[in-house]
Amino acid sequence: MTTLSWPATPAAVSLTQEPDPETSTVPALPGEVRAALAGVVERLHAEYECCLPLSRVLGVVVACLDDIQATPASALPELVERLARFRLAQTGHRP
């Protein structure tokens, strides 16, 4: 699986490594949840790569994660993927 990361603050936080609680806005998640979220980004990018760059898909997924942080960690990958699909579809692009 590809290691994906995004800027949470000035530092980059990887989806496959534990985030630094001092610099990250990404919640501390179990490794299997982080790996599942990376899979969400990869699946969505594969669907939307014809019309949206990876950075846009990643940004939508991160925003979705931020919006549903109060959800139990084990439910995050599915909820983030559903919300990201909805938001990406709202852009008017279709996979």
Side-chain angles (χ1 to χ4, degrees):
M1 181 173 288
T2 304
T3 299
L4 301 171
S5 62
W6 65 83
T9 57
V13 178
S14 172
L15 280 174
T16 58
Q17 297 176 351
E18 192 66 35
D20 179 355
E22 297 294 320
T23 61
S24 177
T25 61
V26 177
L29 301 170
E32 63 274 6
V33 174
R34 290 192 312 274
L37 287 169
V40 167
V41 173
E42 288 181 345
R43 284 191 300 279
L44 291 171
H45 181 249
E47 290 179 34
Y48 285 89
E49 67 184 340
C50 63
C51 46
L52 294 172
L54 176 61
S55 61
R56 174 79 170 122
V57 173
L58 183 58
V60 169
V61 170
V62 170
C64 292
L65 178 60
D66 288 343
D67 288 348
I68 58 177
Q69 282 186 36
T71 304
S74 61
L76 283 174
E78 180 182 353
L79 293 174
V80 167
E81 185 166 356
R82 287 179 185 219
L83 184 55
R85 281 183 190 285
F86 174 77
R87 289 184 179 172
L88 289 168
Q90 284 185 316
T91 66
H93 299 288
R94 296 286 183 252

